[in-house]
């Protein structure tokens, strides 16, 4: 829709329509006038004709009794003449009035008048003649002859007048017909235009109405959606409140759980270790104080008891560490990975004096991580590397950044593991080597995995049996 | 260095550990007497009660029944009579919380008991050597 064009067009069309209607009305009225006028003309013509006939008849009547009067001299026979003479002027005046618009007819009327005068004069003269006594028939007829001629003359004028009148009527009727026809055409055209405009207006109105309906519908829809939006907003608000409430409750629950876990760990660190000490202490006391009774085999047994105790102690420590890592809050800092790796490596070298271990640590490694947790992870990873390469004469352990994999890597040339079990690698207590080969608790990698996970990173491993293992991890 | 027998107050609730500790002390051959308190209340009684011991060293376990180890430590440090006594916390706990709290109250030393008895024996020997032989104890008030 082009609203601007329409808004200019519409008044123009309206004015046009009104004009056409007015024009139409004018034409219609005019044609009525024309018809009325033609009616008048017809009437006029008949009036003239009637008048002419009346005059003719008067003229005839005037001489009707003449012959008899001439013959008899009876005044009674002169009566028609007298009455005709009396009526004639008025009739001629009327005719003159009627034909006042037409000079030709007027001229005819003039002639008529003159002719009529002659006739009356003639009749008058004959009456004079007849006065006194009667005339002889052949004299009377002679006198009347002159009258006949005049009557003929009058007749001719009358006929001419009638003829003229008919001619005029024909002309006027023709004009009327023409103007009626043109009026009909014009009215027809105007009506057609009217019709077109009405149709156009109707369409316009219908379109406007449709538009209005559509707009109303849109407005209704809008109102409905707004109401819906408001309702939704309220709902969202209500949900938000319940959500906040739920979050608060959940946080409180989590805090409680955390505290309970802490208490649990605390108990563990005391209560589980204490009996271990007892076992170990008295085993050794037994060995030392009752060496003779114990004997060689007994000593061996005691050694196993004590190593079992040792293992349990390490297990407890590892478990405690794992639980602490889950609970601890992460504080990311800028960490010098190379330095930390070196520290861990140095510690391991110190703890394993008998072995030949080479650490190849890249320079300038940096990370954004929690230093304490990262330290634990590195200790476990490096420790594993050292442990599982214990059967190799010279252990080579590399640590650096792998650009392709976009991760840190730790590679050793130790025993490696079967990739078939790779999935279980990071589960707690899952071990891929028996105690016969390598002692361990199976918690180390689970701990590392947990540290990595808490940093939102990933860890995976690659290995070939007896050809070492590579562990890769990311920290974000 | 003062001659004569030195008194050690051992506060330990576990009788097994008590025996082990005494054995370790004996093995280290440091001349000393050992008095044992089985819980915090007994410890306080021994220190502040009628007997009023004056030990040269107090070996204090933290997890004690009745009165907790840290509470005992606090009482020791509060009283003028006992404030200067050397106290060594000897505990299984490696909770940082305990460590910090102990030092805040004013412990002289914090030792974690190793599970391995040999290590424990060695640690005890070193303890004894240090605190009773090398260290100058505060004078008896």
């Amino acid at each position: 829709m082009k609203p601007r064009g329409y808004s200019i067009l519409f008044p123009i069309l309206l004015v046009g329509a009104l004009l056409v209607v007015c024009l139409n009305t004018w034409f219609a009225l005019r044609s009525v006038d024309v018809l009325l006028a033609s009616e008048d003309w017809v009437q006029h013509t008949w009036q003239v004709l009637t008048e002419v006939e009346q005059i003719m008849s008067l003229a005839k009547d005037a001489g009707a009794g003449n012959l008899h009067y001439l013959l008899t001299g009876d005044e009674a026979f002169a009566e028609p003449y007298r009455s005709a003479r009396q009526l004639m002027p008025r009739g001629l005046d009327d005719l003159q009035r009627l034909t006042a618009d037409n000079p030709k007819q007027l001229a005819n009327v003039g002639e008529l008048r003159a002719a009529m005068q002659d006739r009356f004069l003639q009749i008058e003269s004959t009456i004079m003649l007849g006065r006194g006594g009667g005339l002889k028939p052949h004299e009377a007829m002679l006198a009347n002859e002159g009258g006949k001629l005049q009557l003929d003359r009058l007749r001719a004028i009358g006929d001419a007048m009638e003829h003229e009148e008919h001619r005029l009527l024909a002309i006027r009727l023709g004009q009327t017909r023409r103007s009626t026809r043109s009026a009909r055409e014009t009215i027809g055209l105007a009506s057609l235009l009217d019709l077109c405009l009405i149709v156009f207006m109707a369409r316009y109105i219908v379109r406007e109405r449709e538009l209005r309906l559509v707009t109303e519908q849109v407005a209704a829809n809008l109102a409905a959606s707004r109401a819906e939006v408001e309702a939704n907003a309220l709902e969202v608000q209500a949900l938000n409140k319940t959500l906040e409430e739920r979050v608060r409750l959940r946080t409180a629950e989590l805090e409680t759980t955390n505290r309970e876990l802490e208490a649990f760990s605390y108990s563990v660190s005391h209560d589980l270790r204490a009996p271990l000490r007892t076992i170990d202490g008295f085993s050794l006391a037994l060995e030392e104080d009752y060496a003779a009774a114990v004997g060689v085999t007994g000593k061996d047994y005691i050694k196993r008891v004590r190593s079992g105790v040792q293992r349990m102690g390490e297990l407890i420590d590892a478990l405690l560490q794992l639980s602490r890592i889950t609970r601890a809050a992460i504080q990311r800092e800028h960490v010098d990975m190379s330095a930390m790796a070196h520290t861990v490596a140095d510690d391991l070298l110190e703890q394993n004096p008998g072995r030949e271990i080479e650490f190849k640590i890249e320079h300038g490694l940096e990370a954004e991580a929690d230093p304490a947790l990262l330290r634990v992870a590195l200790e476990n990873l490096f420790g594993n590397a050292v442990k599982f390469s214990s059967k190799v004469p010279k252990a080579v352990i590399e640590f650096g950044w792998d650009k392709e994999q976009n991760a840190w890597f730790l590679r050793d040339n130790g025993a490696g593991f079967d990739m078939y079990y790779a999935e279980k690698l990071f589960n707690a207590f899952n071990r891929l080597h028996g105690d016969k080969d390598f002692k361990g608790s199976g918690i180390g990698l689970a701990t590392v995995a947990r540290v990595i996970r808490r940093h939102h990173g990933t860890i995976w491993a690659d290995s070939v049996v007896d050809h070492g293992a590579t562990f890769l991890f990311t920290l974000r | 260095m003062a001659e004569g027998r030195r008194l050690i107050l051992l506060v330990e609730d576990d009788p097994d550990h008590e025996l082990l500790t005494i054995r370790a002390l004996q093995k280290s051959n440091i001349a000393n007497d050992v008095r044992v308190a089985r819980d915090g209340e007994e410890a306080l009684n021994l220190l502040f009660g009628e007997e009023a011991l004056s030990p040269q060293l107090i070996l204090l376990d933290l997890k004690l029944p009745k009165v907790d180890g840290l509470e005992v430590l606090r009482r020791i440090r509060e009283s003028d009579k006992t404030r200067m006594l050397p106290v060594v916390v000897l505990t299984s706990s490696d909770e940082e919380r305990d460590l910090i709290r102990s030092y805040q109250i004013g412990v002289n030393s914090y030792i974690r008991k190793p599970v391995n008895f040999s290590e424990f024996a060695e640690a005890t020997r070193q303890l004894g050597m240090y605190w009773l032989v090398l260290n100058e104890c505060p004078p008896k008030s």
Side-chain angles (χ1 to χ4, degrees), chain A residues 8 64 68 93 100 111 225 279 295 341 354 384:
Chain A
I8 293 175
H68 286 281
D93 285 340
E111 265 197 53
S225 353
I279 297 169
N384 268 7

Side-chain angles (χ1 to χ4, degrees), chain A residues 262-263 265-267 269-271 273-282 284-286 288-289 306 309-310 313 317 320 324 327, chain B residues 14-17 19-20 23 27 61-63 68 70 91-98 112-121:
Chain A
E262 255 188 75
S265 308
Y266 192 70
S267 298
S269 70
H270 276 277
D271 298 339
R273 285 215 199 92
L276 290 183
R277 219 170 288 113
T278 308
I279 297 169
D280 190 78
F282 283 107
L284 190 57
L286 192 66
E288 287 170 355
D289 297 352
R306 293 188 71 205
V309 165
Q310 210 56 40
D317 286 342
L320 273 177
R324 261 192 224 116
R327 284 185 287 120
Chain B
D14 189 330
D16 295 328
H17 291 177
L19 187 52
L20 288 169
R23 192 163 175 278
K27 284 183 80 151
D61 190 9
L62 286 183
K63 270 199 88 188
D68 185 57
L70 285 172
T91 182
S92 337
S93 166
D94 57 354
E95 288 284 314
E96 212 173 303
R97 191 162 29 123
D98 288 333
R112 284 208 188 97
K113 286 191 271 191
V115 168
N116 186 312
F117 184 74
S118 308
E119 287 175 33
F120 175 60

Side-chain angles (χ1 to χ4, degrees), chain A residues 293-427:
Chain A
V294 162
V296 173
T297 323
K299 258 194 168 165
D300 182 52
Y301 290 169
I302 289 170
K303 203 167 79 155
R304 288 171 198 269
V305 167
R306 293 188 71 205
S307 94
V309 165
Q310 210 56 40
R311 273 254 309 283
M312 181 135 177
E314 286 165 12
L315 206 69
I316 292 171
D317 286 342
L319 273 173
L320 273 177
Q321 196 180 67
L322 188 62
S323 114
R324 261 192 224 116
I325 284 166
T326 314
R327 284 185 287 120
I330 289 218
Q331 280 166 334
R332 281 196 199 246
E333 288 173 21
H334 187 80
V335 173
D336 184 346
M337 281 278 252
S338 303
M340 191 181 273
H342 274 293
T343 315
V344 169
D346 291 342
D347 280 347
L348 283 166
L349 283 171
E350 220 178 278
Q351 288 164 24
N352 295 276
R355 289 185 46 190
E356 200 178 334
I357 309 169
E358 186 189 343
F359 284 98
K360 290 185 183 167
I361 298 170
E362 246 180 66
H363 282 296
L365 296 171
E366 291 175 347
E368 293 289 319
D370 185 304
L373 293 182
L374 190 62
R375 176 72 183 249
V376 166
L378 288 183
E379 279 171 357
N380 275 291
L381 280 172
F382 279 57
N384 268 7
V386 166
K387 183 165 74 176
F388 285 101
S389 56
S390 60
K391 300 247 174 91
V392 175
K394 177 168 179 192
V396 177
I397 297 167
E398 296 166 65
F399 179 66
W401 173 263
D402 188 329
K403 283 201 195 69
E404 270 176 27
Q405 303 262 25
N406 212 30
W408 279 277
F409 74 90
L410 179 71
R411 194 174 297 123
D412 68 72
N413 61 345
F417 56 88
D418 189 345
M419 280 298 283
Y420 183 73
Y421 299 104
E423 274 177 26
K424 295 187 178 175
L425 209 54
F426 299 102
N427 293 351

Side-chain angles (χ1 to χ4, degrees), chain A residues 23-92:
Chain A
L23 209 70
N24 221 11
T25 316
W26 182 71
F27 272 120
L29 288 174
R30 211 179 71 123
S31 48
V32 166
D33 283 345
V34 163
L35 282 169
L36 284 174
S38 76
E39 275 244 352
D40 285 345
W41 280 121
V42 168
Q43 198 162 348
H44 171 90
T45 305
W46 287 126
Q47 275 181 326
V48 167
L49 289 175
T50 310
E51 199 61 54
V52 165
E53 279 308 307
Q54 269 188 344
I55 288 170
M56 290 296 118
S57 126
L58 270 179
K60 213 164 114 188
D61 285 351
N66 216 20
L67 192 59
H68 286 281
Y69 180 72
L70 283 173
L71 285 173
T72 60
D74 193 350
E75 285 297 329
F77 288 111
E79 202 47 56
Y81 164 72
R82 280 195 234 285
S83 70
R85 182 143 180 200
Q86 216 178 350
L87 292 171
M88 190 56 70
R90 202 170 68 216
L92 282 171

Side-chain angles (χ1 to χ4, degrees), chain A residues 57-313:
Chain A
S57 126
L58 270 179
K60 213 164 114 188
D61 285 351
N66 216 20
L67 192 59
H68 286 281
Y69 180 72
L70 283 173
L71 285 173
T72 60
D74 193 350
E75 285 297 329
F77 288 111
E79 202 47 56
Y81 164 72
R82 280 195 234 285
S83 70
R85 182 143 180 200
Q86 216 178 350
L87 292 171
M88 190 56 70
R90 202 170 68 216
L92 282 171
D93 285 340
D94 282 342
L95 196 60
Q96 187 164 346
R97 190 174 39 82
L98 281 171
T99 59
D101 60 306
N102 197 323
K104 193 166 176 191
Q105 290 290 70
L106 269 178
N108 282 339
V109 171
E111 265 197 53
L112 204 65
R113 209 187 278 274
M116 205 54 69
Q117 279 290 83
D118 287 348
R119 176 143 171 88
F120 284 151
L121 277 173
Q122 192 262 344
I123 293 175
E124 197 66 49
S125 69
T126 53
I127 286 173
M128 287 287 150
L129 275 177
R131 210 167 264 153
L135 284 176
K136 300 239 173 37
H138 73 277
E139 284 174 335
M141 287 233 296
L142 209 72
N144 218 26
E145 256 342 284
K148 252 209 183 108
L149 275 165
Q150 279 178 340
L151 205 59
D152 286 340
R153 184 171 160 227
L154 279 167
R155 186 80 256 169
I157 296 170
D159 283 344
M161 284 192 79
E162 285 181 0
H163 184 79
E164 180 65 17
E165 213 52 36
H166 277 296
R167 191 184 68 92
L168 286 172
L169 185 64
I171 289 173
R172 279 178 198 132
L173 285 178
Q175 277 178 346
T176 306
R177 251 198 303 282
R178 269 198 301 283
S179 79
T180 309
R181 194 172 59 229
S182 73
R184 258 203 224 113
E185 283 170 0
T186 324
I187 288 173
L189 195 69
S191 301
L192 202 68
L193 275 173
D194 267 347
L195 211 69
C196 289
L197 279 165
I198 286 172
V199 166
F200 194 79
M201 293 278 288
R203 274 179 59 208
Y204 179 76
I205 286 171
V206 164
R207 229 182 295 201
E208 284 295 297
R209 192 161 162 280
E210 274 174 16
L211 187 66
R212 191 168 57 81
L213 283 173
V214 166
T215 313
E216 278 178 2
Q217 185 63 36
V218 167
N221 285 351
L222 214 69
S225 353
R226 225 189 89 205
E228 210 181 305
V229 164
E230 278 176 7
N232 279 352
L234 279 173
E235 203 183 318
V236 165
Q237 257 187 320
L239 280 175
N240 254 1
K241 266 204 212 121
T242 52
L243 197 70
E244 276 175 28
E245 184 64 32
R246 254 189 265 162
V247 165
R248 237 178 358 96
L249 281 171
R250 201 54 66 79
T251 314
E253 278 172 20
L254 278 172
E255 281 173 356
T256 313
T257 309
N258 249 13
R259 263 179 281 127
E260 284 170 4
L261 275 173
E262 255 188 75
F264 172 73
S265 308
Y266 192 70
S267 298
V268 164
S269 70
H270 276 277
D271 298 339
L272 283 186
R273 285 215 199 92
L276 290 183
R277 219 170 288 113
T278 308
I279 297 169
D280 190 78
F282 283 107
S283 303
L284 190 57
L286 192 66
E287 190 186 302
E288 287 170 355
D289 297 352
Y290 296 91
V294 162
V296 173
T297 323
K299 258 194 168 165
D300 182 52
Y301 290 169
I302 289 170
K303 203 167 79 155
R304 288 171 198 269
V305 167
R306 293 188 71 205
S307 94
V309 165
Q310 210 56 40
R311 273 254 309 283
M312 181 135 177

